[in-house]
Amino acid sequence: MATEGFADDGTMVSDLAQIDLAQEMSDAEQKRPWSTGHFAKTLFKKPDFRMVLILMDKGAVMKEHHADGTITVQVMKGSIDFRAQGVSHNLQPNSVLMLGASIKHEVAAREASAFLLTIAWPSPEKLQAMPHRGYGS
């Protein structure tokens, strides 16, 4: 990441940071084709917080998985179906969805899409105490 205030992995090394989302989306588009049909880049990373920019090709699916912390999904471009707890939510630009920690969900792109994923990251103690770790369990 060439932005001042960040390490290469997106970790913030200062307490104030700014990112140009339009530029980040444009940079991601330049990396096409994406072998999995989607692209993800961590924009902000702190011990208790993550923000990830995700772009998806039309028809791409992120199979059922979970995050260990509470998440929000904010659609920037396109349209996605976000499925959780047996319900599908069609999210359009400027839509925001919140989901509690460790709830399994799936994301499918109805068209070429981009969204911000934020994760309220659990403390190391809470993370170690969880019966599962990471995604896909």
Side-chain angles (χ1 to χ4, degrees):
M1 179 174 292
T3 306
E4 186 177 323
F6 293 93
D8 289 340
D9 68 352
T11 300
M12 293 174 59
V13 294
S14 67
D15 287 329
L16 178 65
Q18 180 177 346
I19 289 197
D20 182 335
L21 289 173
Q23 184 63 54
E24 291 292 344
M25 288 190 289
S26 177
D27 291 350
E29 292 285 352
Q30 301 304 311
K31 294 181 166 84
R32 285 182 179 271
W34 310 312
S35 61
T36 59
H38 69 273
F39 172 88
K41 179 179 179 182
T42 300
L43 301 177
F44 294 115
K45 183 178 177 184
K46 284 288 212 179
D48 61 347
F49 178 82
R50 306 286 193 277
M51 180 182 279
V52 181
L53 175 64
I54 300 174
L55 286 81
M56 297 179 73
D57 291 328
K58 179 180 181 177
V61 175
M62 295 174 72
K63 295 185 182 198
E64 187 174 83
H65 60 282
H66 73 276
D68 290 328
T70 299
I71 68 169
T72 65
V73 173
Q74 179 181 357
V75 176
M76 308 296 293
K77 174 183 113 174
S79 174
I80 62 172
D81 284 323
F82 187 98
R83 295 182 202 102
Q85 299 179 320
V87 179
S88 184
H89 303 269
N90 177 255
L91 303 178
Q92 304 289 325
N94 302 314
S95 296
V96 178
L97 179 135
M98 190 278 300
L99 185 67
S102 300
I103 298 174
K104 291 183 179 182
H105 57 278
E106 180 176 286
V107 181
R110 302 182 90 175
E111 58 188 293
S113 301
F115 62 92
L116 285 176
L117 167 69
T118 59
I119 307 170
W121 207 257
S123 68
E125 297 79 23
K126 277 188 173 181
L127 200 56
Q128 287 300 114
M130 290 179 175
H132 58 271
R133 293 297 317 274
Y135 296 89
S137 298

